[in-house]
Amino acid sequence: KCDQTPPQATAEEPSENKGLFKLSVERKDNDMQDVYLPDQTYVLILKTTNKTRPFRWFMITVEDPDVDNSINEYEQVPVDVGSLKTLADNPQSRYSEKCFNSVESADNFDKENVEIHWVSPKNSPKQIVRLRATVAENQETWYTDDDLTILLKKDTRRPLDSAPHPPVENCELNSEARYEIVFKGHWSRLTHPRYYPSKPDENGYSHMVGASHGYDYTLWQLGTPASAGLKLLAEDANITIIERDIINNMSATGGTRTLIRGKRRHHPEMFEPSYALFRADSIHHMFSVVVAIKPSPDWFLGASRFELCTRNGWLKEYKMPLYPWDAGTMDGVSYESPKSVTNPTDNIDRVEIGSFNSESPFYQMNLNDLKPFAYLHLKRLSVDPIKGRNCNDEGQEPQTEDVQNEQESDVVEEPMALESKLRANEDHCTFSDWYEWSPCVPDEGICGFGTQIRTRSRMDAHSKYSDNVNAPRDIASCPENVLMESQACYVGC
């Protein structure tokens, strides 16, 4: 335990503080006061409550409270409690040579307040961290303990940009679910003004790309190296390799099922939503998506291993904020940083929120202060029985009324990838067969990945082409006369 007795002190024991000096953590109004988020920057303020009673010397230490129980320094196993940071423009403080994880006064001048930053631990097993300060008015009078000690608990709540349910290895639902996923960007000069790109006409999001997949498949994940496909997407907004990987891993027994593909959105249409449809089943009961941010070194938005299978059935609806991730393949602290390869490459991690580099858009910022760059909105459209399955088997999805109604609809196999306008209720409407797929139109140039579409027509329930004699005469609630689906395609170079 650090002995914070001021070296200038002539008194052996501290005086009683009685609220004269206070150590506090700067908070927003809606922040919980006694918790911290991992790997975030917090502002610590040490101040006098009476301006006629300044302090001359101080020390602030961040430590594990268990140091109180150790007899000597060799008994205590070091743990990560984060780190204290002095400010470059503040000559009043310096790093202590006396105690580890401590900052102390650098001069003998009177002070009314001091600001120090604390970067909280990233992956510490400790649930509680202690911040402890000592202040001295002069050689005879110094204070510690009351109002100068703070205990903070790790915030164990799941992050805002995470799925509501943890991944499960085995899904016991005897049905399939059809989902709509919508990506909607919110990144703008108004919401994220610091170092916003100087050429906003070049700003944009890549295609939304991903897959519904099994427990055994990972598109991307925190703490792991970026794949070649994610590297190309994050650096150049190119989805060619990552799409090919998804397609190559398609399997009925694992891997991927549906290729999720939504339109890219560039200025001035950055705030237009990007849609896609996909299916999930008891094998492929998760989904992952990624969207690159441009310009940026290698930053992207997305969801990883999002679980859809719950104890109450298929997840019905969820809206999730998205914050930027760093693929770990390129150096750069800002959107328009010069291109520089990271060598060796880092694992995927959050973009450094609370960076101490003044050129960063997230300079000395807390995650709670950062507004979402986008939102991902997931909505279940239908739940369908699986042909050949006994619907009365144990482990069947609980039959709530809305699920029972949805399961009466026909099973419609979706194309491999969709950016769909289809909103059809096939219990009440009749359609022609799908027409042939259109030629493949490359996204860029004359070859590579692209998009093709197909259409079908709505038919009157009592026309000579309709076999649905039980369909209602009133079809005003049916979709428009021509319905369209799109899928990914490839033109050889």
Side-chain angles (χ1 to χ4, degrees):
K1 182 177 179 179
C2 173
D3 180 5
Q4 290 187 329
T5 304
Q8 304 87 348
T10 57
E12 294 184 1
E13 297 296 328
S15 301
E16 190 175 355
N17 186 15
K18 295 182 178 180
L20 178 58
F21 301 100
K22 289 188 175 182
L23 177 66
S24 61
V25 180
E26 190 174 67
R27 300 283 192 176
K28 298 295 182 183
D29 291 340
N30 58 345
D31 285 352
M32 296 179 66
Q33 297 301 307
D34 60 346
V35 301
Y36 72 88
L37 288 169
D39 198 24
Q40 297 298 306
T41 299
Y42 291 90
V43 178
L44 309 181
I45 299 176
L46 180 62
K47 67 178 182 179
T48 176
T49 60
N50 184 343
K51 292 187 177 181
T52 65
R53 300 278 300 273
F55 57 94
R56 185 169 296 176
W57 302 295
F58 73 89
M59 177 181 278
I60 301 175
T61 301
V62 57
E63 60 193 359
D64 175 6
D66 287 345
V67 297
D68 294 346
N69 303 322
S70 60
I71 299 175
N72 60 62
E73 60 181 306
Y74 302 106
E75 285 190 2
Q76 186 66 24
V77 178
V79 296
D80 183 10
V81 292
S83 58
L84 296 175
K85 303 286 185 182
T86 61
L87 304 185
D89 57 353
N90 183 1
Q92 295 179 311
S93 59
R94 67 187 180 191
Y95 297 108
S96 173
E97 296 181 358
K98 177 184 177 182
C99 291
F100 190 58
N101 283 333
S102 298
V103 170
E104 63 187 10
S105 48
D107 57 42
N108 297 321
F109 298 112
D110 287 344
K111 307 166 182 64
E112 292 182 3
N113 62 77
V114 171
E115 181 178 309
I116 301 295
H117 288 189
W118 172 56
V119 180
S120 59
K122 188 172 184 178
N123 295 308
S124 175
K126 300 300 293 185
Q127 297 298 310
I128 298 179
V129 169
R130 182 169 66 195
L131 298 162
R132 184 166 57 93
T134 293
V135 296
E137 288 187 275
N138 48 53
Q139 290 180 321
E140 292 79 23
T141 313
W142 58 283
Y143 308 89
T144 190
D145 292 332
D146 294 343
D147 294 315
L148 293 172
T149 300
I150 300 174
L151 290 177
L152 295 178
K153 299 177 181 178
K154 182 193 294 186
D155 189 344
T156 56
R157 296 173 299 175
R158 62 180 179 82
L160 294 174
D161 57 341
S162 62
H165 301 281
V168 295
E169 186 169 358
N170 298 307
C171 177
E172 304 296 335
L173 302 180
N174 288 327
S175 55
E176 295 185 347
R178 188 163 63 102
Y179 283 95
E180 175 188 66
I181 185 171
V182 182
F183 172 90
K184 193 173 192 305
H186 280 254
W187 175 42
S188 71
R189 189 184 299 277
L190 181 64
T191 57
H192 304 84
R194 185 176 177 86
Y195 290 123
Y196 190 74
S198 59
K199 300 176 181 179
D201 288 352
E202 299 178 4
N203 294 357
Y205 304 107
S206 71
H207 290 89
M208 173 174 62
V209 62
S212 58
H213 59 82
Y215 186 84
D216 62 342
Y217 179 83
T218 300
L219 185 68
W220 69 275
Q221 191 169 13
L222 169 66
T224 64
S227 65
L230 180 60
K231 178 179 184 296
L232 185 63
L233 174 72
E235 294 178 10
D236 300 323
N238 187 325
I239 64 174
T240 305
I241 296 179
I242 200 167
E243 268 198 351
R244 187 179 303 142
D245 176 73
I246 292 170
I247 294 170
N248 290 343
N249 278 278
M250 287 184 174
S251 169
T253 58
T256 61
R257 172 171 175 168
T258 307
L259 172 62
I260 298 172
R261 194 168 191 263
K263 286 184 178 179
R264 57 186 176 183
R265 298 299 186 190
H266 283 217
H267 182 85
E269 298 178 344
M270 285 182 61
F271 306 110
E272 292 294 320
S274 180
Y275 300 91
L277 299 183
F278 69 89
R279 280 192 180 275
D281 56 46
S282 59
I283 301 297
H284 311 89
H285 48 89
M286 312 172 82
F287 82 89
S288 301
V289 293
V290 287
V291 178
I293 306 171
K294 289 291 132 188
S296 76
D298 58 349
W299 301 348
F300 66 95
L301 307 171
S304 173
R305 299 177 62 80
F306 191 109
E307 183 60 71
L308 301 167
C309 180
T310 79
R311 289 179 297 177
N312 298 319
W314 293 107
L315 181 67
K316 191 170 184 180
E317 189 170 6
Y318 193 70
K319 187 175 183 180
M320 182 171 76
L322 300 180
Y323 302 95
W325 296 89
D326 187 333
T329 60
M330 298 292 288
D331 291 332
V333 298
S334 190
Y335 305 112
E336 298 176 294
S337 293
K339 291 279 188 178
S340 174
V341 176
T342 302
N343 189 15
T345 58
D346 293 327
N347 290 336
I348 297 170
D349 204 347
R350 288 194 184 278
V351 169
E352 189 176 359
I353 311 299
S355 169
F356 283 86
N357 189 320
S358 60
E359 297 181 0
S360 168
F362 317 111
Y363 177 61
Q364 297 182 358
M365 183 181 292
N366 190 292
L367 184 61
N368 289 336
D369 303 329
L370 183 63
K371 295 183 179 179
F373 273 56
Y375 282 91
L376 202 63
H377 189 184
L378 183 75
K379 186 176 182 181
R380 193 186 72 196
L381 301 180
S382 66
V383 176
D384 305 309
I386 299 176
K387 293 180 180 179
R389 291 275 185 94
N390 183 350
C391 292
N392 294 319
D393 285 347
E394 290 186 8
Q396 182 188 1
E397 181 175 13
Q399 296 296 299
T400 58
E401 183 177 350
D402 66 309
V403 172
Q404 288 177 347
N405 291 336
E406 289 174 343
Q407 287 188 345
E408 293 173 0
S409 64
D410 295 334
V411 177
V412 181
E413 283 299 326
E414 79 288 357
M416 178 182 65
L418 291 169
E419 173 76 36
S420 176
K421 302 294 184 181
L422 179 59
R423 299 291 185 274
N425 183 338
E426 298 192 3
D427 286 337
H428 305 294
C429 305
T430 304
F431 304 95
S432 69
D433 292 335
W434 287 104
Y435 302 125
E436 294 296 323
W437 287 103
S438 69
C440 184
V441 179
D443 294 329
E444 296 180 1
I446 60 173
C447 61
F449 280 93
T451 304
Q452 59 184 164
I453 63 172
R454 68 176 181 176
T455 61
R456 65 176 178 178
S457 300
R458 186 191 69 188
M459 297 188 298
D460 187 285
H462 296 278
S463 72
K464 63 180 180 179
Y465 303 104
S466 174
D467 294 326
N468 188 358
V469 296
N470 296 318
R473 291 183 179 276
D474 181 11
I475 57 172
S477 62
C478 292
E480 62 269 23
N481 286 339
V482 178
L483 297 174
M484 180 180 70
E485 292 182 337
S486 65
Q487 73 172 11
C489 57
Y490 184 81
V491 177
C493 296

